[in-house]
């Protein structure tokens, strides 16, 4: 990464500076702003432009070490014959004359960086050069510091214009990162960098450089991702230390209190006698105050100040700081909900006696936003003797944080400590889900459930719910729903058990096409998840939100699905919890695929699979990987299939439409048998998309399934007008790729009927809809560029041969004889008016790179 990043987001500031330079009445420009905001970078660009335009430019940097030396900042520009004994006025004129003569008739432009450190004579020289119009002077000074009187007078007397250089906005920050890295940063890393730097270009650059140096920041699939902690470079630490070290002992203590406990209310700090230091540190730009409701809070002026101060504070000093923080919060009575977990954390860090039940409650309170901290608190509750509840919570938090092996070991230990059937059932159910979905040990999970069912008496609904989750993950949605119905009937309270059952139910209903029932379950489940503090609630919420998006997409309510997916993703980015980010990314990928934006779908689905620490990876990954395989195949590229459905699309991408149809038919039958009627309808519609006349799918479950049935009927009848109408209906729903495919089929049918005008119109509509379907390359779209006279089988064989396959290889793929392939080829050549396979690719498609068609009939 180069020394100078691109200048991004400074168009307005640069335009202001150019106007000042061009104004004959203005002889100077004062640039001010916070440290690292980009004042120096802006001045360098301006001076480079002026130098290119013929100006004589000089750069002067003031330093504290030279602030007592007359003309110390200008030493490198002074004439060797300067008279050091002359009076002040003579020396000023002597130096000014030397600089102006050195310009040799060109415009003299002088830039002074860190002007607040100028010695008196240098400051007077700067003012004199500007006031006499001998030079255009650019003066740079940090915000909130006192500059020498002559420099201040330049702006006060209107000799110079003043330009405040602000931090970058969030969009400008993202634009700068993208330009500097030459690629997009994933949203989670963008969020973290923005909230740590708040648009400060210098801080941003140093953090990114630290990530590159440590390897934490790396590119994968064209997207830059951050794994691990954000680390500041030594240079950044030094820069921040320079700011925070200029304080007395009382001010340092305040900065430490804020670094470990911000935000803090101003009232208790004033009671502790911090009124003076609050005023002095705010004036120095080290702290800021802001009103939140009726409380006036104080925090450090920049998040990175806290990072550096915490790093430099010794363990003993930290402990004493936490003791003071606990006392400070006690002064307010810890009245707010967020105060209680903070008080518990501070008391623990200070080594003060703390009730284990309070520690456990604090862990439950913070687990939604900070799983590492929740695990620390839960472990502390166990250490303090919190008993079964604390141990079980610790296991749940470890599951949520992706530490499944550690959680399983703790649950196995806890199984021998249960004192009731309810405890035993919940531990066994949780362990079974961890084994199956966290460690991919499904057989062991089933065995744990079998053993537990024989050990408990009466209905064990935790175990039934876990069993239903295993069945649903295996695709047996009908069986899962049958198991869950009685569980929900018996458990009407809004507790963790009902929430778990609702989460599984929602997913099964989405697969079954029962949209309204699914949405009702999701609404109830999300309400419970928001009320209870059980550690399983955040994971259940993720599964409910994803089920809602899937159900809405399958029903054709794409805008509604997109709104929910976008909201879920923005909240997940803010929470920075892997499972929520993965689930929301998968939802956005699902929506993109439903719209037909193949490039977007691939991007989001890859991001979902790349997220670390998912709470149920072996439940989550197969379905997302299969969807990704289908999306990739829809772009015409091969992918690794997971099941028959995605294998059908992979075959279609390779031109093997017969095999694709066979695989899709098998997948649809399996989905119907498992009670996944919505999935079955979608797969049967894929047969239609492959150009294979098929039985109309069930039209239950919303707009799209009904359009699937109309599409199938129109294709089977060769009804061009019907296909055209279906295409328009797909487009109205937002499913633009499906619309383009149906329009392509309509265009072919119109041409077959001799209606060339209608055929051209349908083809144009298809192309218009494809504009928003980036990277789409499905079999139906190939009809837009395919000779009319070829049948589906002829086109399939012709395309396979065009890739360079021999007749034997094609015959093996399609399970037909070589004679059949050759006979079909002879018919194709006759219809197309070509002599052989060498000309075939130019008519029906290009061969794969590196292939060379074999000679043959």
């Amino acid at each position: 990464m180069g020394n100078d990043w691109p200048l991004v987001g400074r168009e307005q500031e640069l335009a202001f500076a150019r106007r000042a330079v061009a104004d004959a009445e203005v002889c100077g420009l004062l640039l001010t702003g916070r440290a690292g905001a980009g004042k120096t970078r802006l001045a360098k660009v301006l001076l480079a432009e002026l130098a290119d335009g013929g100006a004589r430019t000089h750069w002067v940097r003031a330093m504290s070490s030279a602030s007592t030396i007359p003309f110390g900042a200008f030493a490198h520009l002074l004439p060797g014959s300067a008279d050091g004994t002359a009076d002040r006025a003579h020396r000023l004129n002597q130096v000014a004359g030397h600089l102006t003569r050195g310009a040799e008739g060109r415009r003299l432009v002088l830039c002074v960086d860190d002007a607040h450190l100028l010695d008196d004579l240098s400051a007077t020289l700067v003012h004199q050069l500007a006031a006499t119009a001998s030079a255009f002077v650019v003066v740079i000074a940090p915000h909130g510091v006192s500059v020498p009187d002559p420099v201040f007078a330049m702006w006060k007397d209107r000799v110079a214009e003043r330009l405040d250089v602000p931090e970058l906005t969030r969009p400008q920050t993202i634009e700068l990162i993208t330009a500097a890295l030459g690629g997009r940063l994933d949203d989670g890393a963008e969020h973290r960098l923005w909230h740590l730097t708040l648009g400060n270009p210098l801080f941003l650059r140093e953090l990114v450089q630290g990530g590159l140096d440590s390897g934490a920041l790396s590119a994968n699939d064209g997207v830059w991702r951050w794994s691990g902690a954000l680390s500041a470079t030594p240079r950044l630490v030094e820069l921040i230390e320079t700011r925070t070290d200029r304080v007395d002992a009382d001010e340092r203590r305040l900065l430490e209190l804020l670094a470990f406990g911000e935000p803090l209310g101003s009232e208790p700090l004033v009671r502790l006698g911090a009124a003076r230091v609050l005023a002095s540190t705010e004036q120095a730009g080290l702290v800021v105050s802001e009103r939140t409701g009726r409380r006036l809070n104080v925090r450090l002026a920049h998040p990175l100040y806290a990072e550096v101060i915490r790093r430099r504070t010794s363990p003993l000093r930290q402990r004493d700081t936490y003791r003071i923080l606990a006392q400070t919060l006690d002064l307010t009575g810890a009245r707010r909900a967020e105060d209680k977990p903070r008080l518990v954390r501070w008391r623990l860090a200070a080594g003060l006696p703390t009730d284990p039940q309070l520690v456990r409650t604090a862990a439950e309170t913070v687990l939604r936003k900070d799983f590492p901290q929740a695990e620390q608190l839960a472990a502390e509750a166990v250490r303090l003797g919190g008993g079964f509840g604390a141990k079980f919570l610790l296991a749940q938090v470890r599951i949520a944080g992706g530490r499944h092996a550690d959680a399983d070991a703790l649950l196995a230990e806890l199984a021998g400590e249960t004192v009731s059937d309810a405890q035993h059932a919940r531990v066994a159910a949780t362990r079974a889900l961890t084994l199956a979905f966290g460690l991919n040990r499904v057989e062991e999970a089933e065995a744990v459930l079998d053993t537990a069912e024989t050990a408990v008496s009466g209905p064990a609904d935790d175990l039934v719910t876990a069993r239903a989750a295993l069945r649903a993950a295996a695709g047996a949605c009908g069986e899962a729903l049958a198991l869950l119905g009685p569980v929900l009937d018996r458990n009407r309270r809004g507790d963790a058990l009902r929430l778990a059952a609702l989460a599984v139910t929602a997913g099964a209903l989405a697969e079954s096409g029962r949209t309204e029932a699914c949405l009702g379950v999701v609404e109830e489940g999300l309400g419970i998840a928001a009320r209870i503090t059980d550690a399983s609630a955040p994971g259940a919420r993720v599964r409910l939100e994803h089920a809602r998006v899937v159900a809405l997409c399958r029903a054709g309510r794409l805008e509604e699905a997109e709104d929910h997916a976008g909201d879920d993703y923005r909240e997940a980015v803010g929470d920075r919890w892997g499972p929520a980010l993965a689930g929301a990314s998968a939802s956005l990928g699902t929506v993109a695929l439903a719209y037909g934006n193949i490039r977007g779908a691939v991007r989001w689905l890859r991001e979902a699979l790349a997220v670390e620490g998912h709470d149920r990876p072996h439940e989550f990954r197969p379905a997302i990987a299969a969807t990704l395989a289908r999306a990739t195949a829809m772009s015409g590229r091969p992918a690794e299939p997971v099941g028959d459905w995605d294998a059908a699309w992979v075959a279609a991408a390779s031109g093997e439409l017969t095999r694709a149809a066979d695989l899709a038919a098998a997948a649809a039958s399996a989905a119907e048998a498992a009670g996944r009627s919505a999935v079955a309808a979608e797969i049967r519609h894929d047969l239609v998309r492959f150009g294979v006349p098929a039985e109309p799918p069930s039209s239950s479950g919303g707009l799209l399934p009904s359009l699937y049935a109309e599409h199938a009927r129109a294709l089977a009848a060769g009804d061009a007008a019907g296909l055209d109408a279906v295409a328009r209906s797909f487009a109205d729903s937002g499913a633009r790729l499906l619309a383009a495919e149906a329009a392509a089929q309509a265009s072919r049918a119109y041409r077959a009927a001799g209606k060339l005008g209608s055929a051209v119109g349908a083809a144009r509509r298809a192309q218009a809809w494809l504009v928003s379907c980036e990277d789409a390359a499905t079999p139906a779209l190939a009809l837009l560029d395919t000779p009319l006279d070829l049948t589906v089988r002829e086109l399939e064989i012709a395309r396979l041969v065009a890739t360079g396959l021999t007749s034997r290889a094609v015959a093996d793929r399609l399970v037909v004889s070589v004679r059949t392939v050759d006979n079909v080829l002879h018919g194709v050549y006759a219809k197309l008016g070509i002599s052989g396979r060498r000309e075939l690719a130019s008519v029906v498609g290009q061969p794969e790179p590196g292939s060379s068609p074999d000679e043959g009939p």
Side-chain angles (χ1 to χ4, degrees):
M1 191 168 61
N3 290 331
D4 285 332
W5 275 23
L7 189 68
V8 170
R10 296 303 187 202
E11 292 80 8
Q12 292 183 353
E13 289 82 1
L14 195 55
F16 180 94
R18 288 167 177 157
R19 287 195 299 271
V21 171
D23 190 337
E25 300 296 322
V26 177
C27 294
L29 178 66
L30 173 61
L31 297 178
T32 186
R34 295 186 185 275
K39 306 180 295 296
T40 301
R41 179 82 173 97
L42 182 65
K44 284 183 176 180
V45 170
L46 180 63
L47 254 66
E49 289 184 358
L50 293 172
D52 290 343
R56 179 74 166 107
T57 62
H58 292 295
W59 189 275
V60 174
R61 183 174 183 184
M63 294 182 290
S64 57
S65 60
S67 61
T68 60
I69 304 173
F71 293 119
F74 285 82
H76 64 295
L77 299 178
L78 291 178
S81 59
D83 185 358
T85 63
D87 62 25
R88 177 187 180 98
H90 180 74
R91 294 180 68 190
L92 279 171
N93 290 333
Q94 185 182 33
V95 174
H98 173 74
L99 291 174
T100 53
R101 286 192 300 273
E104 299 176 340
R106 294 178 290 170
R107 187 179 193 184
L108 178 61
V109 180
L110 181 70
C111 183
V112 182
D113 201 357
D114 287 334
H116 61 296
L117 299 177
L118 283 174
D119 61 273
D120 290 341
L121 272 178
S122 294
T124 304
L125 173 63
V126 169
H127 180 272
Q128 179 176 318
L129 289 170
T132 60
S134 301
F136 188 90
V137 181
V138 180
V139 176
I140 305 172
H143 177 74
V145 301
S146 297
V147 296
D149 289 341
V151 173
F152 179 72
M154 290 172 54
W155 172 65
K156 185 183 67 173
D157 298 341
R158 298 184 180 275
V159 172
E161 293 281 5
R162 171 172 172 158
L163 174 60
D164 291 302
V165 180
E167 276 84 359
L168 298 173
T169 64
R170 184 165 185 165
Q172 289 170 340
T173 300
I174 304 312
E175 182 184 356
L176 177 57
I177 298 173
T178 303
L181 292 176
R184 188 181 67 83
L185 200 66
D186 85 283
D187 292 356
E190 285 180 359
H191 180 84
R192 295 175 69 188
L193 282 171
W194 163 251
H195 284 279
L196 271 177
T197 64
L198 297 180
N200 186 293
L202 176 60
F203 292 174
L204 179 67
R205 174 184 163 175
E206 293 301 321
L207 281 179
V208 169
Q209 187 64 58
L212 292 171
D213 292 343
S214 66
L217 181 61
S218 59
N220 183 18
D221 292 329
V223 178
W224 288 86
R225 293 186 170 85
W226 206 297
S227 57
L230 290 167
S231 57
T233 61
R235 178 169 178 258
L236 178 56
V237 173
E238 290 172 5
L239 289 169
I240 293 174
E241 287 175 346
T242 301
R243 292 276 293 154
T244 57
D245 281 352
R246 300 171 184 167
V247 294
D248 60 29
D250 290 338
E251 291 170 335
R252 174 162 296 283
R253 172 55 83 186
L254 174 64
L255 297 183
E256 289 170 346
L257 290 172
L258 291 172
F260 287 95
E262 66 177 356
L264 296 175
S266 62
E267 182 182 350
L269 289 173
V270 170
R271 290 185 190 176
L272 288 173
R276 178 191 67 82
V277 294
L278 278 171
S280 62
T281 52
E282 186 168 29
Q283 185 176 11
L286 295 173
V287 305
V288 294
S289 58
E290 54 192 9
R291 187 166 295 281
T292 305
R294 291 182 295 177
R295 180 180 290 189
L296 183 63
N297 284 332
V298 182
R299 60 174 176 81
L300 291 170
H302 201 282
L304 285 176
Y305 291 177
E307 296 282 335
V308 172
I309 292 170
R310 285 196 294 265
R311 181 186 300 187
R312 296 185 60 200
T313 306
S314 70
L316 283 175
R317 183 84 172 178
Q318 287 184 31
R319 185 167 182 155
D320 191 49
T321 301
Y322 281 121
R323 178 186 58 79
I324 298 173
L325 284 170
Q327 292 173 349
T328 302
L329 193 54
D330 278 334
L331 290 175
T332 66
R335 292 185 296 269
R336 295 191 176 190
E338 64 268 22
D339 289 341
K340 292 180 180 179
R342 296 174 84 201
L343 181 58
V344 167
R345 295 198 309 273
W346 293 345
R347 290 184 64 86
L348 288 171
L352 299 173
T354 310
D355 184 345
Q357 296 306 315
L358 290 178
V359 179
R360 174 184 162 191
T361 300
E364 292 173 336
T365 302
V366 302
L367 61 84
R368 289 178 184 274
K369 299 291 184 181
D370 193 337
F371 278 84
Q373 187 177 103
E375 182 174 0
Q376 292 175 3
L377 288 170
E380 194 64 26
V382 172
R383 187 187 68 81
L384 292 172
F388 175 87
K391 277 191 175 182
F392 186 65
L393 174 63
L394 178 58
Q396 289 180 296
V397 174
R398 285 178 176 173
I399 293 168
R403 295 180 55 192
H404 304 101
D406 291 340
D408 179 60
L410 185 56
L411 288 167
E413 174 187 325
L414 200 56
E417 300 176 11
T418 58
V419 296
S420 67
D421 283 349
Q423 284 186 353
H424 192 77
R426 191 164 193 206
V427 169
T430 305
R431 188 177 181 214
L433 294 174
T434 303
L435 286 167
F437 301 141
L439 300 171
N440 201 27
R441 289 152 55 181
V442 179
E443 291 184 3
E444 289 182 57
E446 295 278 9
V448 166
L449 292 177
D450 293 340
T451 301
E453 284 173 351
T454 62
V456 301
S457 58
D461 287 337
D462 284 294
L463 301 176
V464 177
T465 301
R467 184 85 71 182
L470 296 180
R471 295 293 178 270
C477 291
E479 185 178 348
L481 291 172
L483 289 169
L484 290 167
V487 172
L488 292 172
D489 289 340
R490 287 192 295 266
N491 296 274
R492 298 289 183 177
R493 290 190 308 157
D495 56 10
L497 173 57
R498 184 168 180 84
L499 176 60
L502 290 171
V504 180
T505 300
L509 290 172
E511 298 285 275
S512 304
R514 297 165 59 184
T515 305
E516 293 306 323
C518 175
L519 297 180
V521 165
V522 168
E523 183 177 3
E524 181 188 354
L526 291 178
I528 296 173
R531 291 192 302 270
I532 68 174
T533 58
D534 191 86
S536 65
R541 175 183 172 181
V542 170
R543 292 187 287 280
L544 288 164
E545 289 171 340
H546 184 60
R548 174 174 60 189
V549 169
V550 170
L552 289 170
C553 285
R554 289 217 162 102
R557 295 158 63 175
L558 303 189
E559 290 186 2
E560 194 176 346
E562 185 177 28
D563 289 343
H564 283 298
D567 290 343
D568 297 341
Y569 184 78
R570 284 185 288 273
E571 187 168 352
V573 167
D575 289 348
R576 298 201 329 242
W577 182 48
L581 196 58
S585 298
S587 292
L588 286 172
T590 301
V591 173
L593 189 59
Y595 274 125
N597 179 3
I598 303 303
R599 182 182 300 176
V602 169
R603 173 213 157 177
W604 286 115
L605 294 168
R606 282 180 175 171
E607 186 160 322
L609 292 173
V611 173
E612 298 177 353
H614 200 284
D615 63 337
R616 292 189 174 188
H618 296 288
E619 177 188 29
F620 169 86
R621 288 182 180 276
I624 303 306
T627 307
L628 175 59
R630 291 197 300 279
T632 302
M634 288 180 198
S635 69
R637 293 172 291 163
E640 186 65 34
V642 177
D644 281 351
W645 185 11
D646 32 299
W649 272 103
V650 171
S654 302
E656 302 175 61
L657 294 181
T658 300
R659 182 167 182 268
D662 291 342
L663 288 167
S669 298
E672 286 171 345
R676 304 166 70 209
S677 56
V679 176
E682 190 172 343
I683 300 173
R684 291 208 179 279
H685 182 244
D686 284 346
L687 287 168
V688 180
R689 297 174 70 185
F690 296 157
V692 178
E695 178 184 346
S698 170
S699 61
S700 62
L703 174 62
L704 282 186
S706 65
L707 292 178
Y708 295 163
E710 291 179 28
H711 192 181
R713 284 191 287 268
L715 182 67
D719 181 359
L723 289 167
D724 213 355
V726 167
R728 295 173 189 272
S729 296
F730 276 135
D732 290 342
S733 75
R736 291 180 286 270
L737 178 55
L738 299 185
E741 291 175 340
Q745 292 170 335
S747 177
R748 183 181 177 88
Y750 277 130
R751 289 172 63 197
K755 299 180 179 180
L756 297 184
S758 297
V760 171
R764 286 177 177 171
R765 284 189 290 277
Q767 295 291 355
W769 288 322
L770 281 177
V771 170
S772 60
C773 302
E774 294 182 290
D775 293 347
T778 61
L781 298 180
L783 297 175
L784 294 172
D785 302 310
T786 298
L788 172 65
D789 294 336
L790 299 186
T791 65
V792 171
R793 172 48 67 92
E794 288 172 336
L795 177 61
E796 178 180 28
I797 290 177
R799 285 188 176 277
L800 289 173
V801 170
T803 65
L805 292 177
T806 63
S807 295
R808 168 59 66 187
V810 173
D812 290 342
R813 284 199 183 190
L814 301 183
V815 195
V816 296
S817 68
V818 175
R819 181 181 295 276
T820 298
V821 173
D822 290 340
N823 288 339
V824 170
L825 281 176
H826 282 299
V828 168
Y829 300 155
K831 286 183 178 182
L832 300 181
I834 60 178
S835 60
R837 61 179 69 201
R838 285 188 179 278
E839 301 173 63
L840 200 56
S842 63
V843 181
V844 299
Q846 295 297 317
E848 295 176 355
S851 64
S852 56
D854 295 293
E855 292 297 332

